């Protein structure tokens, strides 16, 4: 699956939004990728998950699990795990920090991929990586459907994305859209 194929799926589902958005990272942007609109179609979610699993398996093909931060990454983790034929987990916020809940566990020495729907700063991915390492697990690689950083975010592990875009994001105080009087809307999950 090429980057153009992925972006076409986003366009067809109305998931590539234009406007003034407050991202879950706290940054502002003129474009937002609403992955839920793409992933609502199981056949598309399965296809995207399989494509991301293939790219991650090219890095290291022996994971025991796939994990994502809730909420946006849950379907991605499920579909990548399905393609890799391993457990699919997610981390949730408890007292403001990501943690394993619902009986999920990672045994010391288990190896896994950390996946996400969209990476903007890498913050949620890094937090999820910390969940894995605190449990004694090993992060083999990180992956996302979309990388908004242009591929420059350093996560400290190999990574893969189905589409790498350079979409600027700004702190509120430096946002050119805010300077025009526009107000950011928050379409995300946090």
């Amino acid at each position: 699956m090429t980057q153009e194929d992925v972006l076409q799926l986003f366009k067809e589902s109305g998931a590539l939004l234009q406007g003034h958005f407050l991202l879950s990272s706290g940054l502002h942007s003129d474009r937002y990728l609403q992955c839920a609109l793409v992933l609502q179609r199981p056949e598309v979610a399965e296809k995207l998950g399989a494509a991301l699993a293939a790219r991650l398996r090219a890095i290291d093909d022996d994971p025991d699990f796939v994990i994502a931060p809730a909420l946006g990454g849950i379907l991605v983790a499920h579909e990548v795990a399905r393609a890799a034929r391993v457990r699919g987990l997610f981390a949730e916020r408890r007292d403001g920090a990501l943690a394993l809940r619902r009986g999920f566990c990672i045994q010391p020495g288990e190896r896994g991929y950390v996946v996400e729907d969209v990476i903007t700063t890498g913050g949620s991915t890094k937090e999820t990586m910390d969940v894995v390492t605190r449990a004694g697990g090993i992060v083999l690689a990180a992956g996302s459907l979309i990388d908004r950083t242009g591929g420059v975010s350093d996560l400290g592990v190999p990574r893969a994305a189905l589409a790498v875009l350079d979409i600027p994001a700004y702190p509120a105080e430096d946002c050119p859209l805010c300077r025009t009087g526009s107000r950011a809307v928050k379409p995300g999950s946090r």
Side-chain angles (χ1 to χ4, degrees), residues 135-184:
I138 300 162
V139 177
L140 298 173
S144 61
L145 300 181
I146 306 290
D147 175 352
R148 291 177 49 108
T149 72
V152 299
S153 180
D154 182 19
L155 299 173
V157 297
R159 57 188 245 177
L162 297 183
V164 179
L165 307 173
D166 189 7
I167 301 175
Y170 310 95
E173 62 272 11
D174 295 330
C175 177
L177 300 165
C178 287
R179 283 192 220 118
T180 67
S182 174
R183 295 188 55 106

